[in-house]
Amino acid sequence: TATLLQDPQNFWYYNNGITVLCGDISKKPLGGDDRRRGEFVCSGVTVVNGAQTVGCIGTAKASGQLPQESAWVLVRFISLSAAPGDFASEITRATNTQNRIERRDFVSLDPVQDRLRSELLLENGKVYAIKTGEPDPLPDTGCSVSEATIALACGHPDSTLTVTAKREISRLWEDIHKPPYTLLFNDRLSVLKLWRSVEITRAVDATLKALQDEAEGRTRLILVHGNRFVLYRVFRRLSDHNLDDPDLDFLG
């Protein structure tokens, strides 16, 4: 951001650029078939490298302090319309070889996550933070994919997912094309079930926290370290209730 505001003419030289994956790229009729220039429409856009640069540009623009002199940055738009199934993951991995990339970042390549984010915003007015580096929303404004993953894992009948969520949540994101990830996030998952699962998790955590403040010794250790198993047992008690039912008063 400092370079943009104070040294914009050198932003091009100091920056590695931005890589953007698109579900499809189409050219508007203006200019005929020449693809070297024109107006292009990009759909299904995901920034897989350079997210920090995008954030800096947004921050600088929002500050209203950008100088008149323009700053330039290289942006690559890659269409996935005719690409093999694992091409997006390979590009993400290759373009981040010099940067620390989390398994959580690969989750953002899953169309299911895009659907959940859009529907959660439209139907519930909630923000859904997916990628590493995105700030976690305040509890009343939304949730992160980490919080959702823990809630869904503890709500699943298979208790090994609860253990994994407690010990190493990133293992649940290891491969977005197969279990355990697909057991939690798939086309059948509704935003209503996701959000209610998060609310149940928050209610249980709040209760356990209150009990922890009053407990001592072994009891307190159980409340702290056994929190996800307690959450699992609560979900099992609620297993007869359909969390997809809009009329269900599950916290009543």
Side-chain angles (χ1 to χ4, degrees), residues 3-215:
T3 302
L4 276 172
L5 298 177
Q6 302 169 16
D7 196 13
Q9 67 274 12
N10 285 324
F11 191 70
W12 169 277
Y13 302 104
Y14 298 162
N15 193 275
N16 291 327
I18 301 167
T19 301
V20 180
L21 300 185
C22 307
D24 184 60
I25 300 176
S26 59
K27 184 178 184 297
K28 289 188 175 182
L30 184 67
D33 295 331
D34 186 359
R35 296 180 61 85
R36 292 175 298 178
R37 60 180 60 86
E39 293 186 20
F40 296 86
V41 178
C42 303
S43 60
V45 171
T46 301
V47 177
V48 296
N49 185 260
Q52 184 175 358
T53 299
V54 174
C56 288
I57 294 172
T59 300
K61 182 174 177 59
S63 72
Q65 301 176 30
L66 275 177
Q68 290 295 106
E69 184 176 359
S70 298
W72 294 81
V73 64
L74 175 66
V75 184
R76 296 191 302 166
F77 291 87
I78 302 174
S79 173
L80 300 175
S81 59
D86 60 348
F87 192 55
S89 296
E90 292 304 315
I91 290 176
T92 303
R93 195 182 306 276
T95 55
N96 285 277
T97 51
Q98 294 181 341
N99 301 318
R100 184 172 182 265
I101 183 167
E102 305 286 350
R103 289 175 180 170
R104 171 173 166 174
D105 292 317
F106 289 99
V107 172
S108 65
L109 299 175
D110 183 10
V112 170
Q113 296 293 343
D114 283 336
R115 173 182 65 81
L116 293 172
R117 175 157 52 188
S118 298
E119 291 180 0
L120 196 61
L121 182 61
L122 292 174
E123 297 180 17
N124 298 73
K126 305 296 183 182
V127 177
Y128 185 48
I130 302 175
K131 293 195 70 174
T132 303
E134 290 182 355
D136 287 350
L138 295 173
D140 59 339
T141 64
C143 68
S144 69
V145 68
S146 297
E147 190 174 15
T149 300
I150 291 172
L152 294 171
C154 294
H156 195 278
D158 185 354
S159 61
T160 61
L161 299 184
T162 298
V163 175
T164 304
K166 178 68 175 180
R167 290 182 175 176
E168 188 180 357
I169 188 176
S170 63
R171 287 182 57 196
L172 298 173
W173 303 321
E174 201 160 26
D175 191 331
I176 64 173
H177 302 294
K178 65 181 184 181
Y181 177 82
T182 53
L183 294 176
L184 306 178
F185 297 99
N186 50 63
D187 291 335
R188 299 184 303 277
L189 176 63
S190 68
V191 291
L192 182 59
K193 180 178 180 180
L194 183 149
W195 184 247
R196 282 179 166 176
S197 297
V198 168
E199 288 188 300
I200 292 170
T201 299
R202 290 174 176 175
V204 171
D205 284 350
T207 301
L208 292 178
K209 179 63 170 61
L211 293 173
Q212 291 167 18
D213 293 340
E214 299 176 359

